[in-house]
Amino acid sequence: MSSATPELIRVVYISRANFKVASAETGVEPTVARILQASRINNPKLDIGGLLYYGDGCFFQCLEGERAAVVELLKKIKRDPRHKDMKVVYQVSTQVRQYSNWSMKYIPASDRVQLLLSHNGYDKFDPYQFDKEMIKKLLQAFRLINHEQDRGGEPGTLAQEGASAVDQRKALLKWLAAPVVLGLLAGLVWYGYA
Ligand code: FAD
């Protein structure tokens, strides 16, 4: 009898919102908030994780989990009248989960996303225009944005993360150098008495 590990997949699809956007003075647009609420109740039961971005009237959602469960959820989401033009733009088989802690993480539209778009020659979030590289860049950026939000405080940069690693190395060097300096001092004192 085989006990093969179920295949995991990570899928990204895009779609267009099919509702009139209500003004959300603070926080998340109300329809998107309801979608998130349902996702956060349903996805953990299916062992599915992922993230959802909503901007400029378009959705970008990444779903990760066992193939059969993800395929079923995609069918259900496709029937949802709150969006249209659903198109899968990325799909990989994987053995390592990247979204195990996120039943459905919401990534709000932000200046950083806008910056990434303009750096890549796009003036708005229109995922139907994005190539495969841009989809991968977005996934990476969303994971980084989320990581920074989880750590609290202002979003930093990869350069800042590099800087903190340098600080750690400096501290380690100081700690290692201390016994050498003490040894030298002790030698000088002993030499003075001799
Ligand atoms: P309920 O939330 O109780 O909804 C019952 C039925 O009413 C469903 O058929 C639902 O489609 C429909 N419905 C609910 N609210 C509205 C509304 N305001 N307008 C029109 N129809 C409505 N669901 C997940 O479980 N996980 C996900 O990751 C997920 N991602 C989504 C991403 C997008 C972009 C969209 C548009 C929907 C997503 N959904 C997701 C919602 C999904 O399509 C179903 O609505 C939801 O799974 C049904 O949840 P439920 O069985 O608890 O029913």
Side-chain angles (χ1 to χ4, degrees):
M1 204 174 81
S2 106
S3 60
T5 321
E7 186 194 356
L8 293 174
I9 56 167
R10 192 174 306 127
V11 176
V12 175
Y13 77 83
I14 56 174
S15 64
R16 290 184 216 279
N18 208 12
F19 51 86
K20 201 163 170 280
V21 176
S23 74
E25 304 250 309
T26 52
V28 188
E29 200 284 335
T31 302
V32 178
R34 276 194 290 276
I35 290 169
L36 281 170
Q37 199 180 16
S39 309
R40 286 170 183 165
I41 293 170
N42 297 335
N43 294 6
K45 295 180 207 155
L46 304 167
D47 212 6
I48 289 178
L51 60 81
L52 179 71
Y53 176 85
Y54 171 72
D56 291 329
C58 288
F59 288 106
F60 177 107
Q61 186 174 32
C62 179
L63 295 168
E64 179 186 81
E66 287 183 17
R67 176 181 285 275
V70 171
V71 168
E72 274 314 301
L73 179 58
L74 283 168
K75 283 187 199 162
K76 183 173 163 186
I77 293 174
K78 192 164 189 197
R79 290 195 294 269
D80 196 311
R82 290 170 286 186
H83 67 159
K84 60 183 178 180
D85 303 338
M86 189 170 158
K87 181 180 172 195
V88 171
V89 289
Y90 175 87
Q91 180 169 336
V92 282
S93 262
T94 181
Q95 288 176 326
V96 185
R97 283 186 187 254
Q98 291 184 334
Y99 304 95
S100 46
N101 296 330
W102 308 345
S103 61
M104 192 43 57
K105 197 82 197 176
Y106 181 60
I107 308 289
S110 67
D111 290 351
R112 296 196 65 191
V113 179
Q114 207 50 52
L115 208 62
L116 181 72
L117 294 177
S118 55
H119 272 165
N120 287 277
Y122 301 100
D123 57 357
K124 63 175 186 153
F125 191 81
D126 181 359
Y128 295 87
Q129 304 297 322
F130 299 163
D131 59 18
K132 287 243 158 9
E133 274 314 299
M134 185 63 190
I135 301 287
K136 284 189 203 163
K137 279 183 195 170
L138 274 170
L139 276 177
Q140 275 171 3
F142 290 162
R143 293 183 62 222
L144 181 65
I145 289 169
N146 176 69
H147 178 63
E148 286 160 352
Q149 283 171 348
D150 278 357
R151 287 193 322 189
E154 281 301 298
T157 61
L158 284 173
Q160 281 169 346
E161 284 180 20
S164 86
V166 170
D167 288 347
Q168 281 172 19
R169 277 199 294 276
K170 278 185 186 161
L172 184 67
L173 274 175
K174 276 185 196 160
W175 186 79
L176 288 173
V180 178
V181 174
L182 282 176
L184 277 173
L185 281 174
L188 281 173
V189 170
W190 182 81
Y191 184 74
Y193 278 111

